[in-house]
Amino acid sequence: MKRLVAFDLDGTLAESKQAIQPDMAEALADLLTVADVAVISGGDWPQFDKQVASQLPARADRAKLWLMPTTGTKLYTFRDGAWGVVYAELFSDAEKRKIIDAFNASLDATGFVPGQTWGERIEDRGSQITFSALGQQAPLEAKEKWDPDFAKRRVIQADLRQRLPGLAINMGGSTSIDITREGVDKAYGLKRLRDESGIALDAMMFVGDAIFPGGNDYPAKELGLDTVRVRDPQDTLGVIATVVACQK
């Protein structure tokens, strides 16, 4: 029996940057009756609020929900009727400038210039700097077509690793690359969650769509958690229903 089920967000609980659907919100509320739930992903808190926190039905036990933006370098919990930050590990201004300069140089060097973009391509998330190839507001259809096999981002990632030694550079979502401090990935976030929640790693399971070498969910598997790879949110609904049935 697992005490906590952790999820990736985009591609797992919801389509990229979209709110969870009503059936997913109800499924998570069901899951919260039998286990704690964590969501860990590269987006910042406003995205988590929009996609998950604000979508849950009134019956959901928010006190058992752990929301971990920016790959677990931030943690939010629901206490005294409101969401609040437990910790946030932020880059200094000098670190941010260095990363953004490296991104710009890398994009010039690798030559991946899309024909159209929607919004800013480089976003400062405080504890994480994120590159979104087509812009932060790109439509889902365009994002799914740009780099479905991760090949373009692997080239950019390899170039960035030469420019930014000592930092973690991971692919996330459908068009993103996330930069955090060295050693920061979902395994790092899950270990922080263990420390904050008091729930042992072997009492957790992880569900994600990128549990493969190079995928940003793979560190959860390397950490030794029981993992379930899903194709999309519809798959995830089936996993949740199974967990709820087994836990009861």
Side-chain angles (χ1 to χ4, degrees):
M1 181 174 289
K2 298 298 182 182
R3 291 182 56 196
L4 182 146
V5 184
F7 296 90
D8 169 52
L9 180 47
D10 286 351
T12 300
L13 292 178
E15 299 296 346
S16 179
K17 294 198 174 180
Q18 303 302 304
I20 58 174
Q21 293 297 305
D23 54 356
M24 183 64 75
E26 294 294 338
L28 290 174
D30 290 341
L31 184 57
L32 285 163
T33 67
V34 298
D36 281 41
V37 171
V39 182
I40 179 170
S41 188
D44 205 353
W45 169 250
Q47 198 67 36
F48 269 66
D49 188 26
K50 171 188 170 183
Q51 290 186 257
V52 181
S54 64
Q55 304 300 320
L56 296 170
R59 68 183 180 92
D61 187 355
R62 290 163 175 79
K64 294 168 63 180
L65 183 59
W66 307 80
L67 297 181
M68 307 189 75
T70 53
T71 319
T73 55
K74 298 179 183 178
L75 172 64
Y76 285 75
T77 57
F78 193 81
R79 300 290 184 267
D80 300 320
W83 290 100
V85 63
V86 177
Y87 67 77
E89 303 168 354
L90 305 179
F91 280 124
S92 69
D93 289 343
E95 288 172 319
K96 292 176 184 178
R97 283 194 299 272
K98 179 179 178 181
I99 293 167
I100 291 171
D101 288 347
F103 258 129
N104 288 323
S106 182
L107 295 175
D108 287 342
T110 56
F112 288 110
V113 180
Q116 183 177 1
T117 59
W118 294 262
E120 294 295 325
R121 298 178 77 196
I122 299 176
E123 181 184 8
D124 174 3
R125 296 177 177 175
S127 56
Q128 176 177 294
I129 307 297
T130 295
F131 163 71
S132 297
L134 302 183
Q136 296 293 326
Q137 308 304 321
L140 180 60
E141 182 179 4
K143 292 169 70 171
E144 289 178 337
K145 291 179 179 178
W146 187 75
D147 190 29
D149 60 357
F150 297 84
K152 294 176 182 176
R153 279 177 291 166
R154 286 194 181 100
V155 173
I156 300 170
Q157 181 187 48
D159 184 86
L160 282 168
R161 283 177 171 161
Q162 298 299 313
R163 299 176 190 275
L164 294 170
L167 292 177
I169 302 166
N170 295 298
M171 292 179 283
S174 53
T175 65
S176 299
I177 295 176
D178 301 322
I179 294 185
T180 55
R181 288 197 172 90
E182 187 172 24
V184 173
D185 55 20
K186 288 184 179 174
Y188 172 89
L190 291 164
K191 286 187 284 189
R192 286 297 310 261
L193 177 61
R194 172 201 60 197
D195 297 341
E196 296 292 341
S197 68
I199 298 173
L201 292 174
D202 60 9
M204 300 180 186
M205 67 178 290
F206 181 85
V207 182
D209 67 317
I211 306 175
F212 51 81
N216 69 339
D217 295 329
Y218 195 66
K221 185 177 184 67
E222 293 180 304
L223 187 59
L225 268 65
D226 290 333
T227 60
V228 180
R229 182 179 175 184
V230 294
R231 291 170 297 182
D232 52 35
Q234 197 63 36
D235 256 7
T236 303
L237 286 172
V239 172
I240 293 174
T242 300
V243 172
V244 171
C246 291
Q247 296 280 78
K248 286 184 174 180

